[in-house]
mmCIF file of all heavy atoms in Angstrom:
data_model
loop_
_atom_site.group_PDB
_atom_site.id
_atom_site.type_symbol
_atom_site.label_atom_id
_atom_site.label_comp_id
_atom_site.label_asym_id
_atom_site.label_seq_id
_atom_site.Cartn_x
_atom_site.Cartn_y
_atom_site.Cartn_z
ATOM 1 N N LEU A 1 0.813 -1.213 0.000
ATOM 2 C CA LEU A 1 0.000 0.000 0.000
ATOM 3 C C LEU A 1 0.850 1.268 0.000
ATOM 4 O O LEU A 1 0.318 2.364 -0.153
ATOM 5 C CB LEU A 1 -0.913 0.018 1.232
ATOM 6 C CG LEU A 1 -1.981 -1.064 1.315
ATOM 7 C CD1 LEU A 1 -2.696 -0.990 2.666
ATOM 8 C CD2 LEU A 1 -2.977 -0.950 0.184
ATOM 9 N N SER A 2 2.150 1.111 0.185
ATOM 10 C CA SER A 2 3.019 2.270 0.355
ATOM 11 C C SER A 2 3.522 2.817 -0.974
ATOM 12 O O SER A 2 3.349 3.996 -1.273
ATOM 13 C CB SER A 2 4.207 1.918 1.250
ATOM 14 O OG SER A 2 3.750 1.579 2.534
ATOM 15 N N ARG A 3 4.160 1.960 -1.769
ATOM 16 C CA ARG A 3 4.666 2.372 -3.071
ATOM 17 C C ARG A 3 4.491 1.215 -4.050
ATOM 18 O O ARG A 3 4.411 0.056 -3.633
ATOM 19 C CB ARG A 3 6.137 2.778 -2.995
ATOM 20 C CG ARG A 3 6.384 4.185 -2.477
ATOM 21 C CD ARG A 3 7.850 4.538 -2.542
ATOM 22 N NE ARG A 3 8.369 4.549 -3.903
ATOM 23 C CZ ARG A 3 8.371 5.630 -4.690
ATOM 24 N NH1 ARG A 3 7.851 6.770 -4.260
ATOM 25 N NH2 ARG A 3 8.873 5.568 -5.900
ATOM 26 N N PRO A 4 4.481 1.485 -5.368
ATOM 27 C CA PRO A 4 4.261 0.408 -6.346
ATOM 28 C C PRO A 4 5.269 -0.726 -6.227
ATOM 29 O O PRO A 4 4.905 -1.898 -6.333
ATOM 30 C CB PRO A 4 4.400 1.138 -7.691
ATOM 31 C CG PRO A 4 4.060 2.547 -7.405
ATOM 32 C CD PRO A 4 4.533 2.811 -6.019
ATOM 33 N N GLU A 5 6.568 -0.384 -5.997
ATOM 34 C CA GLU A 5 7.568 -1.443 -5.932
ATOM 35 C C GLU A 5 7.450 -2.283 -4.673
ATOM 36 O O GLU A 5 8.116 -3.315 -4.549
ATOM 37 C CB GLU A 5 8.983 -0.860 -6.045
ATOM 38 C CG GLU A 5 9.372 0.127 -4.973
ATOM 39 C CD GLU A 5 9.096 1.562 -5.354
ATOM 40 O OE1 GLU A 5 8.019 1.831 -5.935
ATOM 41 O OE2 GLU A 5 9.931 2.428 -5.065
ATOM 42 N N GLY A 6 6.604 -1.874 -3.739
ATOM 43 C CA GLY A 6 6.425 -2.637 -2.514
ATOM 44 C C GLY A 6 5.805 -4.001 -2.745
ATOM 45 O O GLY A 6 5.956 -4.911 -1.915
ATOM 46 N N PHE A 7 5.135 -4.177 -3.894
ATOM 47 C CA PHE A 7 4.484 -5.463 -4.152
ATOM 48 C C PHE A 7 5.504 -6.564 -4.428
ATOM 49 O O PHE A 7 5.177 -7.756 -4.344
ATOM 50 C CB PHE A 7 3.525 -5.345 -5.350
ATOM 51 C CG PHE A 7 4.152 -5.662 -6.674
ATOM 52 C CD1 PHE A 7 4.029 -6.927 -7.224
ATOM 53 C CD2 PHE A 7 4.884 -4.711 -7.362
ATOM 54 C CE1 PHE A 7 4.610 -7.237 -8.453
ATOM 55 C CE2 PHE A 7 5.461 -4.991 -8.572
ATOM 56 C CZ PHE A 7 5.337 -6.265 -9.127
ATOM 57 N N ILE A 8 6.750 -6.192 -4.768
ATOM 58 C CA ILE A 8 7.766 -7.186 -5.115
ATOM 59 C C ILE A 8 7.977 -8.173 -3.972
ATOM 60 O O ILE A 8 8.145 -9.377 -4.188
ATOM 61 C CB ILE A 8 9.093 -6.488 -5.479
ATOM 62 C CG1 ILE A 8 8.912 -5.673 -6.760
ATOM 63 C CG2 ILE A 8 10.229 -7.491 -5.634
ATOM 64 C CD1 ILE A 8 10.111 -4.821 -7.116
ATOM 65 N N PHE A 9 7.939 -7.677 -2.733
ATOM 66 C CA PHE A 9 8.145 -8.563 -1.587
ATOM 67 C C PHE A 9 7.017 -9.584 -1.479
ATOM 68 O O PHE A 9 7.253 -10.738 -1.124
ATOM 69 C CB PHE A 9 8.248 -7.741 -0.305
ATOM 70 C CG PHE A 9 9.407 -6.793 -0.288
ATOM 71 C CD1 PHE A 9 9.218 -5.440 -0.472
ATOM 72 C CD2 PHE A 9 10.695 -7.266 -0.107
ATOM 73 C CE1 PHE A 9 10.289 -4.569 -0.462
ATOM 74 C CE2 PHE A 9 11.780 -6.405 -0.099
ATOM 75 C CZ PHE A 9 11.569 -5.041 -0.289
ATOM 76 N N SER A 10 5.790 -9.164 -1.768
ATOM 77 C CA SER A 10 4.666 -10.100 -1.737
ATOM 78 C C SER A 10 4.806 -11.153 -2.831
ATOM 79 O O SER A 10 4.548 -12.348 -2.604
ATOM 80 C CB SER A 10 3.344 -9.335 -1.923
ATOM 81 O OG SER A 10 3.129 -8.453 -0.855
ATOM 82 N N PHE A 11 5.232 -10.723 -4.012
ATOM 83 C CA PHE A 11 5.436 -11.665 -5.110
ATOM 84 C C PHE A 11 6.510 -12.685 -4.756
ATOM 85 O O PHE A 11 6.353 -13.889 -4.994
ATOM 86 C CB PHE A 11 5.813 -10.905 -6.383
ATOM 87 C CG PHE A 11 6.182 -11.804 -7.526
ATOM 88 C CD1 PHE A 11 5.204 -12.462 -8.252
ATOM 89 C CD2 PHE A 11 7.513 -11.997 -7.872
ATOM 90 C CE1 PHE A 11 5.548 -13.305 -9.305
ATOM 91 C CE2 PHE A 11 7.865 -12.831 -8.912
ATOM 92 C CZ PHE A 11 6.877 -13.487 -9.641
ATOM 93 N N LEU A 12 7.602 -12.223 -4.165
ATOM 94 C CA LEU A 12 8.684 -13.134 -3.784
ATOM 95 C C LEU A 12 8.237 -14.104 -2.700
ATOM 96 O O LEU A 12 8.601 -15.282 -2.716
ATOM 97 C CB LEU A 12 9.891 -12.328 -3.296
ATOM 98 C CG LEU A 12 10.650 -11.527 -4.355
ATOM 99 C CD1 LEU A 12 11.738 -10.679 -3.702
ATOM 100 C CD2 LEU A 12 11.249 -12.441 -5.406
ATOM 101 N N SER A 13 7.444 -13.618 -1.757
ATOM 102 C CA SER A 13 6.964 -14.477 -0.681
ATOM 103 C C SER A 13 6.054 -15.574 -1.225
ATOM 104 O O SER A 13 6.204 -16.755 -0.880
ATOM 105 C CB SER A 13 6.209 -13.629 0.351
ATOM 106 O OG SER A 13 5.697 -14.438 1.384
ATOM 107 N N LEU A 14 5.111 -15.182 -2.093
ATOM 108 C CA LEU A 14 4.181 -16.153 -2.658
ATOM 109 C C LEU A 14 4.913 -17.158 -3.540
ATOM 110 O O LEU A 14 4.707 -18.378 -3.413
ATOM 111 C CB LEU A 14 3.106 -15.429 -3.474
ATOM 112 C CG LEU A 14 2.090 -16.308 -4.212
ATOM 113 C CD1 LEU A 14 1.282 -17.138 -3.223
ATOM 114 C CD2 LEU A 14 1.161 -15.460 -5.072
ATOM 115 N N SER A 15 5.782 -16.677 -4.417
ATOM 116 C CA SER A 15 6.457 -17.565 -5.360
ATOM 117 C C SER A 15 7.447 -18.486 -4.660
ATOM 118 O O SER A 15 7.592 -19.652 -5.039
ATOM 119 C CB SER A 15 7.170 -16.746 -6.437
ATOM 120 O OG SER A 15 8.110 -15.863 -5.871
ATOM 121 N N SER A 16 8.137 -17.986 -3.610
ATOM 122 C CA SER A 16 9.096 -18.846 -2.909
ATOM 123 C C SER A 16 8.380 -19.945 -2.134
ATOM 124 O O SER A 16 8.791 -21.110 -2.173
ATOM 125 C CB SER A 16 9.969 -18.016 -1.967
ATOM 126 O OG SER A 16 9.183 -17.366 -0.989
ATOM 127 N N GLY A 17 7.288 -19.596 -1.430
ATOM 128 C CA GLY A 17 6.528 -20.611 -0.709
ATOM 129 C C GLY A 17 5.963 -21.662 -1.641
ATOM 130 O O GLY A 17 6.054 -22.874 -1.366
ATOM 131 N N PHE A 18 5.388 -21.208 -2.756
ATOM 132 C CA PHE A 18 4.816 -22.132 -3.740
ATOM 133 C C PHE A 18 5.912 -22.960 -4.400
ATOM 134 O O PHE A 18 5.764 -24.171 -4.590
ATOM 135 C CB PHE A 18 4.046 -21.341 -4.794
ATOM 136 C CG PHE A 18 3.324 -22.196 -5.800
ATOM 137 C CD1 PHE A 18 2.172 -22.881 -5.452
ATOM 138 C CD2 PHE A 18 3.807 -22.319 -7.094
ATOM 139 C CE1 PHE A 18 1.509 -23.683 -6.372
ATOM 140 C CE2 PHE A 18 3.150 -23.100 -8.024
ATOM 141 C CZ PHE A 18 1.988 -23.785 -7.668
ATOM 142 N N GLY A 19 7.029 -22.318 -4.744
ATOM 143 C CA GLY A 19 8.117 -23.027 -5.417
ATOM 144 C C GLY A 19 8.731 -24.103 -4.550
ATOM 145 O O GLY A 19 8.995 -25.225 -5.020
ATOM 146 N N PHE A 20 8.963 -23.801 -3.269
ATOM 147 C CA PHE A 20 9.547 -24.798 -2.372
ATOM 148 C C PHE A 20 8.598 -25.969 -2.146
ATOM 149 O O PHE A 20 9.029 -27.112 -2.005
ATOM 150 C CB PHE A 20 9.917 -24.151 -1.034
ATOM 151 C CG PHE A 20 11.062 -23.179 -1.130
ATOM 152 C CD1 PHE A 20 11.071 -22.025 -0.362
ATOM 153 C CD2 PHE A 20 12.122 -23.427 -1.980
ATOM 154 C CE1 PHE A 20 12.116 -21.127 -0.450
ATOM 155 C CE2 PHE A 20 13.179 -22.535 -2.069
ATOM 156 C CZ PHE A 20 13.181 -21.378 -1.309
ATOM 157 N N MET A 21 7.289 -25.686 -2.145
ATOM 158 C CA MET A 21 6.315 -26.759 -1.971
ATOM 159 C C MET A 21 6.311 -27.686 -3.183
ATOM 160 O O MET A 21 6.263 -28.916 -3.050
ATOM 161 C CB MET A 21 4.926 -26.160 -1.738
ATOM 162 C CG MET A 21 3.869 -27.182 -1.361
ATOM 163 S SD MET A 21 2.332 -26.422 -0.781
ATOM 164 C CE MET A 21 2.839 -25.808 0.823
ATOM 165 N N ILE A 22 6.389 -27.103 -4.395
ATOM 166 C CA ILE A 22 6.430 -27.904 -5.612
ATOM 167 C C ILE A 22 7.707 -28.737 -5.675
ATOM 168 O O ILE A 22 7.681 -29.929 -6.014
ATOM 169 C CB ILE A 22 6.322 -26.993 -6.853
ATOM 170 C CG1 ILE A 22 4.940 -26.328 -6.905
ATOM 171 C CG2 ILE A 22 6.571 -27.794 -8.126
ATOM 172 C CD1 ILE A 22 3.782 -27.285 -7.021
ATOM 173 N N LEU A 23 8.835 -28.115 -5.336
ATOM 174 C CA LEU A 23 10.108 -28.837 -5.359
ATOM 175 C C LEU A 23 10.091 -30.022 -4.402
ATOM 176 O O LEU A 23 10.619 -31.103 -4.714
ATOM 177 C CB LEU A 23 11.251 -27.886 -5.000
ATOM 178 C CG LEU A 23 11.690 -26.900 -6.076
ATOM 179 C CD1 LEU A 23 12.729 -25.939 -5.524
ATOM 180 C CD2 LEU A 23 12.253 -27.643 -7.293
ATOM 181 N N HIS A 24 9.474 -29.822 -3.241
ATOM 182 C CA HIS A 24 9.417 -30.917 -2.262
ATOM 183 C C HIS A 24 8.525 -32.052 -2.770
ATOM 184 O O HIS A 24 8.794 -33.227 -2.477
ATOM 185 C CB HIS A 24 8.903 -30.392 -0.928
ATOM 186 C CG HIS A 24 8.893 -31.433 0.152
ATOM 187 N ND1 HIS A 24 10.005 -32.166 0.512
ATOM 188 C CD2 HIS A 24 7.883 -31.872 0.953
ATOM 189 C CE1 HIS A 24 9.684 -33.005 1.481
ATOM 190 N NE2 HIS A 24 8.406 -32.847 1.769
ATOM 191 N N ARG A 25 7.495 -31.727 -3.532
ATOM 192 C CA ARG A 25 6.630 -32.780 -4.085
ATOM 193 C C ARG A 25 7.341 -33.533 -5.204
ATOM 194 O O ARG A 25 7.172 -34.745 -5.358
ATOM 195 C CB ARG A 25 5.324 -32.175 -4.592
ATOM 196 C CG ARG A 25 4.374 -31.745 -3.479
ATOM 197 C CD ARG A 25 3.046 -31.257 -4.039
ATOM 198 N NE ARG A 25 2.120 -30.913 -2.992
ATOM 199 C CZ ARG A 25 1.314 -31.776 -2.380
ATOM 200 N NH1 ARG A 25 1.344 -33.059 -2.726
ATOM 201 N NH2 ARG A 25 0.491 -31.386 -1.432
ATOM 202 N N ILE A 26 8.139 -32.807 -5.997
ATOM 203 C CA ILE A 26 8.853 -33.455 -7.097
ATOM 204 C C ILE A 26 10.002 -34.305 -6.571
ATOM 205 O O ILE A 26 10.262 -35.404 -7.063
ATOM 206 C CB ILE A 26 9.381 -32.384 -8.083
ATOM 207 C CG1 ILE A 26 8.201 -31.649 -8.731
ATOM 208 C CG2 ILE A 26 10.253 -33.032 -9.164
ATOM 209 C CD1 ILE A 26 8.625 -30.499 -9.625
ATOM 210 N N PHE A 27 10.692 -33.769 -5.548
ATOM 211 C CA PHE A 27 11.831 -34.489 -4.969
ATOM 212 C C PHE A 27 11.555 -34.723 -3.479
ATOM 213 O O PHE A 27 12.143 -34.073 -2.607
ATOM 214 C CB PHE A 27 13.116 -33.684 -5.140
ATOM 215 C CG PHE A 27 13.397 -33.292 -6.565
ATOM 216 C CD1 PHE A 27 13.158 -31.983 -6.983
ATOM 217 C CD2 PHE A 27 13.881 -34.216 -7.475
ATOM 218 C CE1 PHE A 27 13.410 -31.611 -8.297
ATOM 219 C CE2 PHE A 27 14.143 -33.854 -8.784
ATOM 220 C CZ PHE A 27 13.907 -32.547 -9.199
ATOM 221 N N PRO A 28 10.641 -35.669 -3.180
ATOM 222 C CA PRO A 28 10.208 -35.864 -1.780
ATOM 223 C C PRO A 28 11.323 -36.339 -0.854
ATOM 224 O O PRO A 28 11.220 -36.160 0.366
ATOM 225 C CB PRO A 28 9.100 -36.922 -1.905
ATOM 226 C CG PRO A 28 9.395 -37.633 -3.177
ATOM 227 C CD PRO A 28 9.980 -36.602 -4.090
ATOM 228 N N LYS A 29 12.379 -36.918 -1.384
ATOM 229 C CA LYS A 29 13.448 -37.442 -0.531
ATOM 230 C C LYS A 29 14.458 -36.369 -0.144
ATOM 231 O O LYS A 29 15.315 -36.607 0.699
ATOM 232 C CB LYS A 29 14.164 -38.604 -1.230
ATOM 233 C CG LYS A 29 13.274 -39.828 -1.424
ATOM 234 C CD LYS A 29 14.054 -40.971 -2.042
ATOM 235 C CE LYS A 29 13.167 -42.210 -2.228
ATOM 236 N NZ LYS A 29 13.920 -43.335 -2.819
ATOM 237 N N THR A 30 14.362 -35.218 -0.779
ATOM 238 C CA THR A 30 15.298 -34.141 -0.439
ATOM 239 C C THR A 30 14.877 -33.462 0.851
ATOM 240 O O THR A 30 13.712 -33.511 1.257
ATOM 241 C CB THR A 30 15.354 -33.095 -1.563
ATOM 242 O OG1 THR A 30 14.047 -32.544 -1.751
ATOM 243 C CG2 THR A 30 15.834 -33.710 -2.856
ATOM 244 N N GLU A 31 15.831 -32.813 1.495
ATOM 245 C CA GLU A 31 15.553 -32.088 2.737
ATOM 246 C C GLU A 31 14.703 -30.867 2.406
ATOM 247 O O GLU A 31 15.102 -30.010 1.618
ATOM 248 C CB GLU A 31 16.862 -31.643 3.392
ATOM 249 C CG GLU A 31 16.677 -30.957 4.735
ATOM 250 C CD GLU A 31 16.225 -31.915 5.828
ATOM 251 O OE1 GLU A 31 16.432 -33.146 5.673
ATOM 252 O OE2 GLU A 31 15.659 -31.431 6.831
ATOM 253 N N PRO A 32 13.480 -30.759 2.960
ATOM 254 C CA PRO A 32 12.613 -29.619 2.625
ATOM 255 C C PRO A 32 13.151 -28.316 3.206
ATOM 256 O O PRO A 32 13.833 -28.305 4.225
ATOM 257 C CB PRO A 32 11.274 -29.980 3.282
ATOM 258 C CG PRO A 32 11.649 -30.873 4.426
ATOM 259 C CD PRO A 32 12.856 -31.647 3.957
ATOM 260 N N ILE A 33 12.876 -27.226 2.501
ATOM 261 C CA ILE A 33 13.250 -25.900 2.980
ATOM 262 C C ILE A 33 12.097 -25.375 3.826
ATOM 263 O O ILE A 33 11.078 -24.913 3.325
ATOM 264 C CB ILE A 33 13.531 -24.949 1.795
ATOM 265 C CG1 ILE A 33 14.646 -25.512 0.924
ATOM 266 C CG2 ILE A 33 13.906 -23.562 2.304
ATOM 267 C CD1 ILE A 33 14.961 -24.690 -0.284
ATOM 268 N N GLY A 34 12.235 -25.464 5.142
ATOM 269 C CA GLY A 34 11.155 -25.086 6.038
ATOM 270 C C GLY A 34 10.091 -26.160 6.080
ATOM 271 O O GLY A 34 9.991 -27.004 5.195
ATOM 272 N N ASP A 35 9.274 -26.165 7.126
ATOM 273 C CA ASP A 35 8.199 -27.145 7.185
ATOM 274 C C ASP A 35 6.994 -26.640 6.399
ATOM 275 O O ASP A 35 6.967 -25.520 5.894
ATOM 276 C CB ASP A 35 7.830 -27.467 8.640
ATOM 277 C CG ASP A 35 7.420 -26.225 9.417
ATOM 278 O OD1 ASP A 35 6.868 -25.289 8.808
ATOM 279 O OD2 ASP A 35 7.653 -26.179 10.638
ATOM 280 N N ARG A 36 5.967 -27.503 6.299
ATOM 281 C CA ARG A 36 4.806 -27.165 5.475
ATOM 282 C C ARG A 36 4.097 -25.925 5.995
ATOM 283 O O ARG A 36 3.637 -25.076 5.209
ATOM 284 C CB ARG A 36 3.832 -28.353 5.462
ATOM 285 C CG ARG A 36 2.642 -28.142 4.531
ATOM 286 C CD ARG A 36 1.743 -29.380 4.507
ATOM 287 N NE ARG A 36 0.666 -29.207 3.557
ATOM 288 C CZ ARG A 36 -0.455 -28.537 3.798
ATOM 289 N NH1 ARG A 36 -0.627 -27.967 4.995
ATOM 290 N NH2 ARG A 36 -1.385 -28.430 2.884
ATOM 291 N N ARG A 37 4.027 -25.773 7.311
ATOM 292 C CA ARG A 37 3.366 -24.613 7.910
ATOM 293 C C ARG A 37 4.058 -23.320 7.475
ATOM 294 O O ARG A 37 3.397 -22.317 7.168
ATOM 295 C CB ARG A 37 3.390 -24.748 9.431
ATOM 296 C CG ARG A 37 2.874 -23.522 10.171
ATOM 297 C CD ARG A 37 2.913 -23.753 11.684
ATOM 298 N NE ARG A 37 2.683 -22.508 12.403
ATOM 299 C CZ ARG A 37 3.641 -21.648 12.717
ATOM 300 N NH1 ARG A 37 4.896 -21.896 12.351
ATOM 301 N NH2 ARG A 37 3.367 -20.539 13.381
ATOM 302 N N GLU A 38 5.378 -23.344 7.445
ATOM 303 C CA GLU A 38 6.120 -22.146 7.058
ATOM 304 C C GLU A 38 5.906 -21.814 5.589
ATOM 305 O O GLU A 38 5.738 -20.649 5.215
ATOM 306 C CB GLU A 38 7.606 -22.346 7.355
ATOM 307 C CG GLU A 38 7.910 -22.400 8.851
ATOM 308 C CD GLU A 38 9.344 -22.804 9.124
ATOM 309 O OE1 GLU A 38 9.992 -23.357 8.210
ATOM 310 O OE2 GLU A 38 9.811 -22.575 10.246
ATOM 311 N N ARG A 39 5.912 -22.838 4.739
ATOM 312 C CA ARG A 39 5.711 -22.589 3.309
ATOM 313 C C ARG A 39 4.319 -22.034 3.051
ATOM 314 O O ARG A 39 4.138 -21.114 2.241
ATOM 315 C CB ARG A 39 5.960 -23.885 2.519
ATOM 316 C CG ARG A 39 7.398 -24.377 2.584
ATOM 317 C CD ARG A 39 7.654 -25.464 1.551
ATOM 318 N NE ARG A 39 6.932 -26.693 1.852
ATOM 319 C CZ ARG A 39 7.397 -27.675 2.599
ATOM 320 N NH1 ARG A 39 8.614 -27.568 3.141
ATOM 321 N NH2 ARG A 39 6.690 -28.766 2.810
ATOM 322 N N VAL A 40 3.313 -22.578 3.733
ATOM 323 C CA VAL A 40 1.945 -22.075 3.577
ATOM 324 C C VAL A 40 1.851 -20.640 4.095
ATOM 325 O O VAL A 40 1.169 -19.797 3.494
ATOM 326 C CB VAL A 40 0.942 -22.992 4.311
ATOM 327 C CG1 VAL A 40 -0.433 -22.348 4.359
ATOM 328 C CG2 VAL A 40 0.860 -24.353 3.622
ATOM 329 N N ALA A 41 2.537 -20.351 5.192
ATOM 330 C CA ALA A 41 2.511 -18.999 5.746
ATOM 331 C C ALA A 41 3.077 -17.992 4.754
ATOM 332 O O ALA A 41 2.518 -16.899 4.573
ATOM 333 C CB ALA A 41 3.309 -18.966 7.055
ATOM 334 N N PHE A 42 4.174 -18.338 4.092
ATOM 335 C CA PHE A 42 4.755 -17.444 3.091
ATOM 336 C C PHE A 42 3.806 -17.252 1.913
ATOM 337 O O PHE A 42 3.664 -16.145 1.384
ATOM 338 C CB PHE A 42 6.094 -18.001 2.607
ATOM 339 C CG PHE A 42 7.254 -17.563 3.445
ATOM 340 C CD1 PHE A 42 7.713 -18.343 4.498
ATOM 341 C CD2 PHE A 42 7.898 -16.357 3.185
ATOM 342 C CE1 PHE A 42 8.785 -17.938 5.273
ATOM 343 C CE2 PHE A 42 8.971 -15.943 3.954
ATOM 344 C CZ PHE A 42 9.411 -16.738 5.005
ATOM 345 N N MET A 43 3.152 -18.340 1.486
ATOM 346 C CA MET A 43 2.215 -18.241 0.370
ATOM 347 C C MET A 43 1.025 -17.347 0.723
ATOM 348 O O MET A 43 0.637 -16.467 -0.056
ATOM 349 C CB MET A 43 1.738 -19.645 -0.030
ATOM 350 C CG MET A 43 2.806 -20.502 -0.684
ATOM 351 S SD MET A 43 2.269 -22.219 -0.912
ATOM 352 C CE MET A 43 0.840 -21.993 -1.973
ATOM 353 N N MET A 44 0.448 -17.542 1.897
ATOM 354 C CA MET A 44 -0.723 -16.762 2.289
ATOM 355 C C MET A 44 -0.363 -15.291 2.492
ATOM 356 O O MET A 44 -1.108 -14.397 2.085
ATOM 357 C CB MET A 44 -1.320 -17.341 3.573
ATOM 358 C CG MET A 44 -1.962 -18.704 3.394
ATOM 359 S SD MET A 44 -3.301 -18.670 2.163
ATOM 360 C CE MET A 44 -4.441 -17.515 2.932
ATOM 361 N N ALA A 45 0.785 -15.038 3.119
ATOM 362 C CA ALA A 45 1.206 -13.652 3.332
ATOM 363 C C ALA A 45 1.432 -12.949 2.000
ATOM 364 O O ALA A 45 1.002 -11.804 1.797
ATOM 365 C CB ALA A 45 2.485 -13.622 4.170
ATOM 366 N N GLY A 46 2.094 -13.638 1.077
ATOM 367 C CA GLY A 46 2.316 -13.050 -0.245
ATOM 368 C C GLY A 46 1.026 -12.809 -0.987
ATOM 369 O O GLY A 46 0.862 -11.780 -1.671
ATOM 370 N N PHE A 47 0.083 -13.734 -0.872
ATOM 371 C CA PHE A 47 -1.208 -13.593 -1.533
ATOM 372 C C PHE A 47 -1.962 -12.370 -1.006
ATOM 373 O O PHE A 47 -2.528 -11.586 -1.789
ATOM 374 C CB PHE A 47 -2.028 -14.866 -1.312
ATOM 375 C CG PHE A 47 -3.382 -14.848 -1.976
ATOM 376 C CD1 PHE A 47 -3.494 -14.876 -3.355
ATOM 377 C CD2 PHE A 47 -4.541 -14.804 -1.213
ATOM 378 C CE1 PHE A 47 -4.743 -14.854 -3.967
ATOM 379 C CE2 PHE A 47 -5.780 -14.778 -1.811
ATOM 380 C CZ PHE A 47 -5.882 -14.807 -3.194
ATOM 381 N N LEU A 48 -1.960 -12.180 0.302
ATOM 382 C CA LEU A 48 -2.632 -11.022 0.889
ATOM 383 C C LEU A 48 -1.970 -9.721 0.450
ATOM 384 O O LEU A 48 -2.645 -8.717 0.179
ATOM 385 C CB LEU A 48 -2.613 -11.129 2.416
ATOM 386 C CG LEU A 48 -3.474 -12.243 3.022
ATOM 387 C CD1 LEU A 48 -3.231 -12.335 4.524
ATOM 388 C CD2 LEU A 48 -4.957 -12.004 2.737
#
């Protein structure tokens, strides 16, 4: 709400949470980056 470029942080939060979740599904044996709760939190925060 502050400046136009401020949305970049929301985009990064949403895309990183979503991306890490997809990577963990594709490579389930790899060590996940954060737990599922954290990834969902980043996605929801970015979406808002």
Side-chain angles (χ1 to χ4, degrees):
L1 295 174
S2 297
R3 280 185 63 90
E5 60 267 42
F7 91 96
I8 294 173
F9 298 105
S10 296
F11 174 77
L12 290 175
S13 178
L14 176 62
S15 58
S16 61
F18 184 74
F20 291 143
M21 188 169 288
I22 294 298
L23 285 174
H24 183 55
R25 287 185 177 274
I26 296 175
F27 305 104
K29 294 183 179 181
T30 60
E31 184 70 21
I33 301 178
D35 58 31
R36 185 177 184 279
R37 173 179 169 273
E38 291 171 342
R39 295 193 292 271
V40 170
F42 272 94
M43 290 171 60
M44 291 301 298
F47 181 68
L48 291 173

